[in-house]
Amino acid sequence: MLTHQQNRKFLSKDKARPGGKSVFLLRFLLLCCLFSVLAGSLWAFKEGTEPFQPGLFPGAALAGLVLLGFTIRRGFEFFRSSHSKEPGRDEADRDQLNKIIQSTPQPILIVDSSGKALTFNKRFADLFALVPGQDFFLLSDQPTASWDLKDAFSRAVLGESIVLPEMWRKLYFQKSPPGYREICLSWAFIPVRNASGLVEKVYVKIEDCTERKRQEEEIAQEKSRLQAALKGARQVTCEIDPLTGKIVIGSPNSGSETFYRPDGLNGLENFEELIHPDDQHQFLNLVKEHALQQDAHLNTQFRVQLEPGEWSWLQFRGQAFASSDNSQTMLLGVMMDVTREKEYELTLKESETRYRTLFANALEGMYLIHTNDSVICVNQAFATLLGYDSPAHFETGSLGTHFSQIYYIPKIREIKRQTLLDKGQIQQMETQVRRRDGSLIWISENARAIKDDAGNILYFEGSLTDITARKESEECLLHQALYDHRTNLPNRSFFAEKVDQALKKVRSDLDYAFALLYFDLDGFSAINDSFGHFVGDRLLLEVSQRTQEALGPADTLARFSSDEFGIMVEGRSRTGIQDLAEKLRQELEKVFALDGMDIFITASIGILDYDPTYTRPEDMLRDVELAMHQAKKRGKNQWVIFSSEMYKRKSERTLMEKDLRRAMDREELVLNYQPIVRLDCGELNGLEALIRWNHPEHGCVSPDKFIPLAEDTGLIEPIGDWVLRESCRQIKIWREHNNSLIMNVNISAKQLEKAGLERKVYQVLQDTNLEARCLNLEITESMAMLKMEANVRTLNRLKYMGVRLSIDDFGTGYSSLAHLQRFPLDELKIDRSFISSLNAGRSNIRIVQAIVELALGLKLQMVAEGIETKAQLNKVKTFNCHYGQGFLFSKALKPADIETIWFAPGQNTASQNIFQNLFPEVAKPPLTNSD
Ligand code: C2E
Ligand code: CA
Ligand code: CA
């Protein structure tokens, strides 16, 4: 507080101020001067002299009048003041004023017209940290110097009352540490005039509105935050009058962005009228209801039409509030557009309904189970599949908690659970489940684990399909694939699988032993042909039954093909196996009585012992079959144990077949020719073409070795064609040398069987320009008998063409004469076994003689094959045999040798020698064309 003494400072200054009596005297003197000037001027004007400039007079007169007016007024005031005021009255006024200033709560400062502080109150001193009595200049002292008050102050000095708007200022202070604080001040400059009306002081009033301003700003911030929050939440504030249902939307600033509608809710009068008619009534009721109970929250949704033809869903959330005078209750709250949420909710609901319908009506059994196996829900198909009436059995019954007990194999349950936990799903798991009545069915199951966002398993969902029918048909198919439908015995595939298992077992189990038997019925096709397939099938059944009876429980019988069977025996010794084979042979040899007929059949049996070189079942089957074929070769109705020799031979044969296929292209096949001579004169009658194979490794291979192979593999056809063509070509050339020569060509059974032989022969004769009568086709006796009817036809056609026909190896086939007569033959070639046996005794001689007589009786030419000795020749000569062939005359020779030895002119030719040595009785040597 300023002391009384200090306050006096401001008041005493008023005394010393200019403008008192002295000013008044000064003005009076000045007035006298002006009047004297005025009087002088008037006088000069009257006398016609011009001591002054024209116009000076009226100006001086006007100034004098003004000055006179002022002086009179001031004199009057001065007079009044010096005579009317009581002594001590000024003092009291000032004290009064001072008290008022000091007690004013706002900072107050009174300055003179230069801005120098005349007085200030405590609030002012506090605000600017002034000490009492301190000089303070408003316009030059810190901090106000920088506050730009000059303009306002000068206007105040000129008499204008100025109020500056509230403004933030920086108030620096010197305290340590020095700094500043921001304050918001409002300045008012009020000019104070003296008695003469001049501004001599300025009353400065400051309002510190820092605190208020701060609060206002906070409120404004709070408001904008709230608005931002509402905007962010897509909400607007809203007020509902429960009595009228009037809705007033607040926060208009954020409205357009709050709602999805382009024009939002801004400026919408009578908003309540936009509510959907169906929702209006309910909405009003709710509002009224909630208005009655204070603090009750209302959360409701309703439709409004913000745009023509489009309905939006709005949500109101709020509470009832009483007005301040308690006269009215309003519902205050927020409103937001929930159209999207509503639409999403609706689609969700729809899809859920769809899913539920799908789930309920699905044909697949579907389930949802907790990870602990308890059922959440199953559908009707699931219940039906397992023989229950309704899903309730699982959802509420005891089964619900032990869902997985339906599995027939309990371990499946754990495996499935573990897979679901580890991999999250199982696919097409095929397993058996038990139905309510205890029966088992096959199901295929798919399931997956449903997880939350964090990857935690919530539950499992899955589906089951009944695949029993498929499984059964699969089993049926499997049975068909592995069993022979006629005998119901395992088939070759099953047997091979069994052998494979045995091969695996024998490697790990040293005590384990097994062997294979393979048997084929001898002449079964003849039984089929003679008695028909029905009897054949019956016989096979009987055979399989008889075999089965001969076997032990550890033995497996399988049917491989029509009359081929396999047996796998386990745990038998070598002799035990042989005994079994013999027993089987004997059993099958016994008569089968079928449909009143006695049928006899035998079996050829191959035996194969396991040996460690075998790793694949097919190798074992191959070898045991080879042993069976060996048994056949050795005369049938016997058993043969496989030896590696058989396989070797088989392999050689296989190799040879491969080579033979290439032999033609490589020109390894050649023809040699063996002369056939007339036995009456020793002349060369013809030649037999005999094939040779010049194998690059094995040298010359005999036709006995490769012709049967060629017949088996079908190679005989191209080989035979080549032989025919080559030999015809050759004889055509040689006939130029001796035009009576005939070429004998061997024809295989396979060639004869094949249709079109006659066409081929015809073509070759055409191509080589050879007369048919120069070609003699040799057919073995047994071959000719094979398919008689067809052969007779073919041979007749050949005969018709003029080709000669011979029966080769005659006598080995024991053909009946009646049969032979049906063939259009020209010649018989007596097999060399008869000729070589001529030395052995009289009985053989008789046989040969009988054969020759027979042939002669049929008017056939006779050729004696294999004449090796003179004695044989002489014997044959006595039988009146026409021709002879044999080493005695010549071996089969290369064409060049034939030409040099048999055709060259001169004494040393073979024919000359033969003639001289073998036919001395003939007087004249044989003639050749060249002779
Ligand atoms: P094959 O038709 O009976 O032929 C006669 C065979 O007896 C020939 O054997 C011949 O060399 C042999 N031979 C002839 N005279 C004597 C003899 O005095 N003593 C002995 N020990 N043997 C004699 P090769 O050439 O080995 O022919 C064997 C068989 O091969 C032929 O018997 C024939 O069946 C067949 N063959 C030969 N060439 C062909 C051919 O081109 N086609 C066909 N399909 N088979 C042929
Ligand atoms: Ca022959
Ligand atoms: Ca022969």
Side-chain angles (χ1 to χ4, degrees):
M1 280 287 276
L2 292 176
T3 60
H4 181 69
Q5 206 66 33
Q6 285 157 1
N7 289 331
R8 283 185 71 90
K9 182 183 173 198
F10 158 64
L11 297 169
S12 60
K13 275 186 183 171
D14 197 33
K15 257 189 200 172
R17 78 188 231 282
K21 281 177 188 167
S22 50
V23 174
F24 178 73
L25 282 174
L26 199 71
R27 280 189 190 155
F28 184 73
L29 277 173
L30 230 123
L31 201 61
C32 290
C33 288
L34 270 170
F35 268 107
S36 54
V37 169
L38 197 64
S41 300
L42 275 171
W43 181 76
F45 182 69
K46 206 180 166 188
E47 291 302 311
T49 56
E50 285 183 76
F52 296 102
Q53 293 292 319
L56 183 68
F57 174 72
L62 191 64
L65 278 173
V66 170
L67 206 58
L68 181 68
F70 263 112
T71 309
I72 291 167
R73 191 182 147 219
R74 285 302 298 165
F76 179 73
E77 276 177 9
F78 180 72
F79 181 79
R80 199 181 62 179
S81 67
S82 55
H83 288 95
S84 63
K85 248 181 198 168
E86 293 166 40
R89 178 77 185 264
D90 276 357
E91 196 80 5
D93 284 353
R94 273 181 219 116
D95 273 355
Q96 187 83 25
L97 189 60
N98 193 30
K99 272 181 191 154
I100 291 168
I101 289 171
Q102 287 305 329
S103 62
T104 307
Q106 280 93 22
I108 304 274
L109 167 74
I110 297 172
V111 287
D112 64 16
S113 54
S114 69
K116 186 173 186 282
L118 297 174
T119 188
F120 47 78
N121 70 356
K122 169 100 172 57
R123 285 284 296 128
F124 188 87
D126 286 349
L127 185 64
F128 295 105
L130 302 174
V131 291
Q134 185 176 335
D135 278 339
F136 180 70
F137 295 90
L138 183 66
L139 302 177
S140 55
D141 275 11
Q142 285 301 338
T144 48
S146 59
W147 286 359
D148 216 7
L149 302 170
K150 262 182 199 149
D151 180 51
F153 182 73
S154 9
R155 281 164 65 194
V157 167
L158 287 176
E160 198 180 335
S161 286
I162 302 289
V163 177
L164 289 182
E166 290 167 358
M167 222 185 283
W168 285 99
R169 312 273 190 191
K170 276 183 182 159
L171 184 64
Y172 289 89
F173 46 85
Q174 302 302 317
K175 281 182 217 160
S176 56
Y180 67 87
R181 69 184 176 94
E182 288 204 272
I183 51 172
C184 185
L185 302 176
S186 160
W187 296 76
F189 297 92
I190 302 142
V192 180
R193 295 168 195 274
N194 60 15
S196 53
L198 292 172
V199 175
E200 59 183 12
K201 297 179 215 164
V202 177
Y203 177 83
V204 182
K205 190 182 136 202
I206 300 170
E207 196 180 342
D208 184 354
C209 42
T210 310
E211 210 42 50
R212 180 177 52 79
K213 202 75 181 165
R214 285 233 159 91
Q215 278 173 6
E216 273 173 17
E217 279 181 8
E218 261 172 36
I219 288 166
Q221 260 182 16
E222 197 60 45
K223 200 177 162 191
S224 62
R225 266 206 296 274
L226 182 70
Q227 280 191 346
L230 284 169
K231 193 174 160 187
R234 295 187 292 109
Q235 293 178 344
V236 288
T237 53
C238 163
E239 203 179 305
I240 305 167
D241 183 344
L243 289 178
T244 58
K246 176 102 192 139
I247 299 173
V248 179
I249 306 291
S251 303
N253 295 339
S254 54
S256 60
E257 290 152 35
T258 305
F259 289 89
Y260 293 125
R261 307 301 143 210
D263 54 353
L265 303 176
N266 277 343
L268 280 173
E269 296 291 321
N270 304 331
F271 185 80
E272 57 286 347
E273 285 169 14
L274 303 177
I275 298 178
H276 195 288
D278 292 354
D279 297 349
Q280 245 165 12
H281 185 65
Q282 193 200 7
F283 178 71
L284 258 178
N285 277 352
L286 275 172
V287 168
K288 277 180 187 155
E289 217 172 85
H290 278 75
L292 294 175
Q293 13 178 317
Q294 293 265 333
D295 298 341
H297 287 269
L298 173 61
N299 187 349
T300 183
Q301 292 177 351
F302 53 92
R303 283 162 290 174
V304 290
Q305 194 170 46
L306 297 177
E307 277 185 89
E310 271 201 59
W311 291 99
S312 303
W313 278 94
L314 296 187
Q315 183 181 42
F316 172 81
R317 266 186 299 180
Q319 204 178 348
F321 284 98
S323 61
S324 51
D325 60 353
N326 262 334
S327 63
Q328 203 188 348
T329 305
M330 295 293 274
L331 275 163
L332 300 178
V334 289
M335 196 138 74
M336 67 185 289
D337 190 333
V338 290
T339 313
R340 274 188 203 173
E341 286 85 344
K342 203 74 187 173
E343 279 168 1
Y344 179 70
E345 193 183 301
L346 279 173
T347 29
L348 206 70
K349 219 172 195 165
E350 273 172 26
S351 77
E352 200 183 305
T353 318
R354 269 204 301 275
Y355 177 74
R356 283 214 159 271
T357 323
L358 213 69
F359 182 82
N361 301 329
L363 294 175
E364 273 185 333
M366 294 168 103
Y367 65 77
L368 260 62
I369 53 167
H370 291 294
T371 49
N372 70 356
D373 218 19
S374 61
V375 169
I376 300 167
C377 61
V378 301
N379 68 353
Q380 182 59 47
F382 183 95
T384 312
L385 192 94
L386 291 165
Y388 292 87
D389 297 336
S390 93
H393 279 283
F394 291 89
E395 290 163 5
T396 54
S398 61
L399 255 172
T401 46
H402 305 291
F403 163 75
S404 298
Q405 276 187 356
I406 57 167
Y407 295 109
Y408 173 53
I409 304 162
K411 214 179 163 199
I412 290 285
R413 172 186 174 177
E414 207 27 61
I415 292 171
K416 183 185 117 179
R417 214 179 92 87
Q418 206 52 50
T419 318
L420 277 173
L421 291 175
D422 295 347
K423 298 188 177 163
Q425 62 170 6
I426 52 164
Q427 280 181 326
Q428 318 265 317
M429 188 182 81
E430 293 187 356
T431 182
Q432 278 180 296
V433 292
R434 202 180 281 287
R435 298 184 84 230
R436 189 183 196 175
D437 60 6
S439 62
L440 288 176
I441 55 166
W442 276 98
I443 54 140
S444 169
E445 183 174 358
N446 290 310
R448 63 189 187 115
I450 306 297
K451 297 175 181 177
D452 62 13
D453 291 344
N456 304 310
I457 295 177
L458 299 172
Y459 57 90
F460 300 135
E461 67 169 30
S463 64
L464 313 180
T465 329
D466 187 344
I467 53 160
T468 313
R470 196 196 83 201
K471 275 278 172 189
E472 277 169 5
S473 76
E474 269 175 14
E475 266 167 33
C476 185
L477 278 175
L478 193 71
H479 191 269
Q480 278 171 19
L482 296 176
Y483 285 83
D484 164 49
H485 70 282
R486 188 150 292 154
T487 56
N488 210 24
L489 288 174
N491 63 11
R492 198 184 176 100
S493 311
F494 184 102
F495 194 81
E497 183 62 36
K498 185 112 179 124
V499 175
D500 194 36
Q501 285 168 13
L503 280 169
K504 283 178 185 135
K505 191 174 177 191
V506 81
R507 278 196 284 274
S508 57
D509 184 354
L510 293 174
D511 295 331
Y512 179 71
F514 76 101
L516 304 183
L517 273 73
Y518 193 120
F519 69 89
D520 180 279
L521 301 178
D522 305 321
F524 176 73
S525 54
I527 290 177
N528 257 344
D529 291 345
S530 316
F531 302 101
H533 286 268
F534 181 71
V535 174
D537 289 351
R538 290 274 311 279
L539 177 67
L540 285 173
L541 270 175
E542 293 286 326
V543 167
S544 62
Q545 200 167 334
R546 219 178 260 189
T547 311
Q548 196 79 69
E549 282 162 13
L551 299 178
D555 308 325
T556 309
L557 172 66
R559 183 179 175 220
F560 289 172
S561 63
S562 70
D563 61 337
E564 291 179 7
F565 295 82
I567 302 164
M568 189 171 102
V569 296
E570 291 172 281
R572 284 185 195 257
S573 65
R574 196 149 209 245
T575 48
I577 295 161
Q578 289 171 21
D579 290 348
L580 175 69
E582 180 54 28
K583 183 181 167 190
L584 192 62
R585 191 195 65 76
Q586 288 176 13
E587 284 300 318
L588 296 177
E589 209 180 26
K590 289 176 187 167
V591 67
F592 288 92
L594 294 175
D595 290 342
M597 291 180 287
D598 286 347
I599 292 176
F600 291 93
I601 193 124
T602 57
S604 298
I605 307 166
I607 301 173
L608 174 70
D609 274 326
Y610 163 76
D611 96 55
T613 56
Y614 289 111
T615 52
R616 302 186 314 163
E618 53 266 38
D619 294 344
M620 289 194 80
L621 287 172
R622 176 200 63 206
D623 288 352
V624 73
E625 189 179 351
L626 215 58
M628 182 274 286
H629 283 299
Q630 202 58 38
K632 286 240 186 243
K633 269 192 190 152
R634 289 183 193 174
K636 304 173 180 172
N637 191 20
Q638 57 186 289
W639 47 265
V640 167
I641 301 171
F642 174 80
S643 73
S644 53
E645 199 47 43
M646 291 175 197
Y647 179 65
K648 207 177 142 203
R649 276 205 298 276
K650 175 87 200 304
S651 309
E652 279 171 4
R653 212 173 121 88
T654 315
L655 263 180
M656 192 184 271
E657 184 194 328
K658 220 169 92 189
D659 290 350
L660 187 60
R661 286 184 188 277
R662 289 183 297 202
M664 292 257 292
D665 300 335
R666 295 179 180 181
E667 296 185 344
E668 288 168 10
L669 298 179
V670 291
L671 287 180
N672 281 4
Y673 299 91
Q674 190 178 28
I676 299 168
V677 297
R678 280 173 61 170
L679 292 184
D680 58 348
C681 61
E683 276 180 26
L684 180 67
N685 187 64
L687 299 119
E688 181 177 359
L690 294 163
I691 195 166
R692 300 288 176 265
W693 179 10
N694 292 323
H695 194 281
E697 287 166 41
H698 308 308
C700 187
V701 183
S702 149
D704 283 330
K705 277 198 175 157
F706 71 87
I707 289 293
L709 178 68
E711 284 176 339
D712 287 352
T713 56
L715 279 168
I716 193 66
E717 218 189 317
I719 292 174
D721 291 351
W722 175 78
V723 170
L724 183 71
R725 187 169 289 274
E726 177 56 21
S727 52
C728 287
R729 187 193 65 81
Q730 187 63 75
I731 199 64
K732 176 73 188 170
I733 297 165
W734 283 342
R735 273 176 64 85
E736 283 169 17
H737 182 77
N738 178 348
N739 62 12
S740 64
L741 289 180
I742 287 172
M743 180 58 83
N744 283 26
V745 178
N746 292 288
I747 296 291
S748 147
K750 295 275 150 80
Q751 285 175 273
L752 188 65
E753 266 172 39
K754 193 102 186 174
L757 175 68
E758 58 274 30
R759 268 202 308 280
K760 273 183 187 166
V761 173
Y762 177 79
Q763 192 60 50
V764 169
L765 292 174
Q766 287 281 310
D767 293 349
T768 53
N769 196 20
L770 185 73
E771 287 175 69
R773 63 183 177 85
C774 311
L775 179 65
N776 191 345
L777 299 181
E778 296 187 11
I779 299 130
T780 58
E781 186 192 345
S782 48
M783 174 209 308
M785 299 299 165
L786 267 180
K787 291 185 175 168
M788 232 177 109
E789 295 307 320
N791 290 348
V792 168
R793 278 197 297 276
T794 310
L795 294 177
N796 273 332
R797 283 190 208 117
L798 285 166
K799 187 76 231 157
Y800 184 75
M801 277 159 58
V803 175
R804 291 170 64 82
L805 298 168
S806 296
I807 287 289
D808 200 1
D809 302 343
F810 183 72
T812 51
Y814 309 104
S815 353
S816 77
L817 195 66
H819 284 153
L820 269 184
Q821 271 184 311
R822 295 192 59 198
F823 295 119
L825 299 174
D826 297 287
E827 190 178 81
L828 288 184
K829 291 184 85 174
I830 307 171
D831 190 69
R832 81 182 134 85
S833 56
F834 292 99
I835 306 302
S836 60
S837 66
L838 282 177
N839 308 330
R842 292 204 63 81
S843 62
N844 289 333
I845 296 170
R846 284 224 186 92
I847 292 171
V848 178
Q849 198 168 5
I851 292 172
V852 176
E853 277 168 14
L854 177 83
L856 291 174
L858 290 170
K859 300 211 168 15
L860 295 173
Q861 302 283 303
M862 289 299 300
V863 184
E865 280 190 307
I867 301 171
E868 291 180 353
T869 62
K870 261 190 186 178
Q872 286 168 351
L873 172 65
N874 291 332
K875 241 345 159 243
V876 170
K877 272 184 192 169
T878 59
F879 300 148
N880 289 328
C881 196
H882 303 99
Y883 308 103
Q885 182 182 353
F887 294 168
L888 183 67
F889 311 115
S890 173
K891 289 192 171 186
L893 298 172
K894 290 178 196 161
D897 292 341
I898 290 285
E899 284 165 17
T900 40
I901 296 171
W902 286 86
F903 299 157
Q907 291 301 306
N908 288 327
T909 57
S911 54
Q912 288 290 342
N913 292 338
I914 289 166
F915 181 77
Q916 280 162 16
N917 295 330
L918 306 177
F919 299 93
E921 69 276 13
V922 181
K924 206 161 77 64
L927 295 169
T928 61
N929 272 6
S930 52
D931 288 339

